[in-house]
Amino acid sequence: MLKLNSYRFFTVTFFFISLFVINPAHAEQVVVYSARIEQLIKPMFDAFTKDTGIQVKYTTDNEGALLARLKAEGRNTPADMLITADAGNLWEAARAGVLKTVNSEILETNIPTHLRDPQQQWFGLSIRARTLVYNTQKVKPADLSTYEDLANPEWKKRLCLRTSKKVYNQSLVAMMIAEHGEAESEKIVRGWVANLATDPLSDDTRAMEFVAAGRCDVTLVNTYYYGRLMKNDPTLPLAIFWPNQNNSGVHVNISGAGITRHSRNEGAAIKLLEYLSSEKAQNLFADVNMEYPVNPKVKPDSTVAAWGSFKQNPMNVAKAGELQTVAVKLMDRAGYR
Ligand code: FE
């Protein structure tokens, strides 16, 4: 009798051990498709796994490829979460039907309303500010005021812009359309084009290099590119100017995430999303790329904080997605290549 009981005891114990430890199918995990590169996501995933025991597997690629993959895989996708930069891209993913609505009080508390989808399919996790960078030997801050002002003739042959093919200036123009309407925005973009010192440049860094070299006086960039460039060469005659502080505020965009429509680990994926918005993870998420935390309780890192505080445009970043096509057509009509 005693023998039988101990035999049973061991059998039952082994059964439960195998259920939770040996059988890997029961280890919780989240699969992430990320357009943010490995070095910008891995530190947060490692911290999350350490805190929760939930494993995170990830694949990185550009946003177009990841969205195409989610669409092609449909309900067979292994992905639980999509991480990408720019509200325009997140909006596009939601429109393509690959994301699902998430109801989470934690996300609503941690992320300001204008930095998440009104339909709750995507959520901002870091803020990227698109601002003016000028040559400190040629321009006084008092000469600068707004994005719109760069269309005035006093800036003739003094402006450099990144190509309109990149989503960043498309989003900026989309937000201008939301504020000023199409006709007024087209006038502004035409003014920019008329003021260009060179053909549009391939990227934000190149645009700042032109400004530093005196080939133009001012440009529009995301601040993390400024941070990277100045880290390489702090002697460059460049400085940040926060425009539109007396009206709409600085154009901000996000990098963010959503849960996939066909996620098989929805509970764990939401936990990861909530974790990324938490005070604990926000600095990790923002600081690795010199961006700003979305969570207002969290301060930016010291390098970023030294650029000064600014009023952001409180309009919902979803507008950047909604009006992206209109913006692209407008830029084309205005001759902005
Ligand atoms: Fe970028």
Side-chain angles (χ1 to χ4, degrees):
M1 194 63 187
L2 187 71
K3 253 188 180 171
L4 186 64
N5 272 347
S6 57
Y7 173 75
R8 247 188 217 157
F9 173 75
F10 283 117
T11 314
V12 169
T13 307
F14 182 75
F15 173 73
F16 279 108
I17 289 173
S18 68
L19 205 62
F20 291 108
V21 180
I22 299 169
N23 185 348
H26 288 83
E28 265 196 299
Q29 67 163 23
V30 180
V31 178
V32 178
Y33 283 1
S34 175
R36 262 167 96 90
I37 57 171
E38 180 173 22
Q39 72 194 75
L40 300 187
I41 50 174
K42 192 169 184 298
M44 287 73 82
F45 293 166
D46 289 346
F48 175 71
T49 301
K50 203 172 154 220
D51 279 10
T52 63
I54 300 170
Q55 301 295 315
V56 182
K57 286 188 181 169
Y58 54 88
T59 300
T60 61
D61 206 333
N62 69 55
E63 59 271 1
L66 292 175
L67 181 55
R69 193 161 157 184
L70 281 171
K71 284 199 246 179
E73 288 170 345
R75 59 181 62 248
N76 295 318
T77 187
D80 300 299
M81 183 186 286
L82 172 70
I83 294 183
T84 184
D86 206 281
N89 292 328
L90 289 159
W91 185 90
E92 188 58 38
R95 199 186 61 147
V98 302
L99 301 178
K100 75 161 61 160
T101 300
V102 172
N103 291 302
S104 158
E105 262 179 49
I106 294 175
L107 293 173
E108 281 171 36
T109 305
N110 288 348
I111 307 168
T113 320
H114 69 294
L115 304 174
R116 50 184 159 87
D117 177 22
Q119 267 78 53
Q120 302 175 121
Q121 296 207 8
W122 47 263
F123 299 84
L125 294 170
S126 64
I127 298 171
R128 359 184 76 202
R130 194 153 187 82
T131 191
L132 273 51
V133 164
Y134 63 96
N135 185 312
T136 51
Q137 291 161 355
K138 298 173 77 181
V139 177
K140 287 191 274 309
D143 301 335
L144 297 162
S145 59
T146 62
Y147 303 103
E148 293 85 347
D149 177 62
L150 295 177
N152 289 329
E154 67 190 270
W155 295 103
K156 187 113 194 145
K157 293 220 156 64
R158 298 171 72 191
L159 178 66
C160 274
L161 286 178
R162 182 183 192 149
T163 165
S164 65
K165 306 294 175 280
K166 178 76 181 182
V167 69
Y168 298 154
N169 282 342
Q170 296 171 5
S171 291
L172 173 64
V173 171
M175 298 296 264
M176 281 184 10
I177 294 168
E179 192 187 335
H180 302 299
E182 252 193 274
E184 180 62 23
S185 301
E186 187 168 335
K187 256 191 233 164
I188 296 161
V189 175
R190 282 186 187 279
W192 288 352
V193 172
N195 288 342
L196 286 178
T198 67
D199 285 341
L201 299 159
S202 58
D203 56 69
D204 287 14
T205 305
R206 191 112 182 93
M208 280 183 291
E209 284 166 353
F210 268 56
V211 173
R215 297 180 67 175
C216 39
D217 294 355
V218 60
T219 189
L220 290 173
V221 298
N222 287 357
T223 53
Y224 55 89
Y225 291 110
Y226 171 83
R228 281 182 214 164
L229 189 66
M230 294 306 276
K231 205 173 166 193
N232 282 343
D233 184 358
T235 67
L236 290 174
L238 296 174
I240 278 179
F241 179 84
W242 300 115
N244 299 65
Q245 292 303 281
N246 298 321
N247 47 43
S248 51
V250 168
H251 169 62
V252 291
N253 209 309
I254 53 168
S255 125
I259 306 299
T260 63
R261 172 150 310 216
H262 301 292
S263 167
R264 290 169 207 175
N265 307 294
E266 188 182 343
I270 292 173
K271 265 188 218 161
L272 174 57
L273 191 52
E274 290 174 342
Y275 184 84
L276 294 174
S277 76
S278 71
E279 288 176 63
K280 196 163 183 185
Q282 270 288 286
N283 272 126
L284 282 175
F285 201 94
D287 295 357
V288 284
N289 196 33
M290 286 192 267
E291 293 173 89
Y292 295 86
V294 284
N295 188 327
K297 289 194 201 113
V298 182
K299 290 195 169 55
D301 95 323
S302 57
T303 308
V304 173
W307 303 334
S309 54
F310 58 92
K311 174 181 141 188
Q312 13 172 326
N313 189 332
M315 194 185 294
N316 194 297
V317 291
K319 281 277 172 242
E322 287 167 37
L323 291 166
Q324 191 181 82
T325 311
V326 178
V328 169
K329 285 184 187 156
L330 185 153
M331 290 156 105
D332 190 53
R333 275 201 309 277
Y336 178 12
R337 304 289 169 234

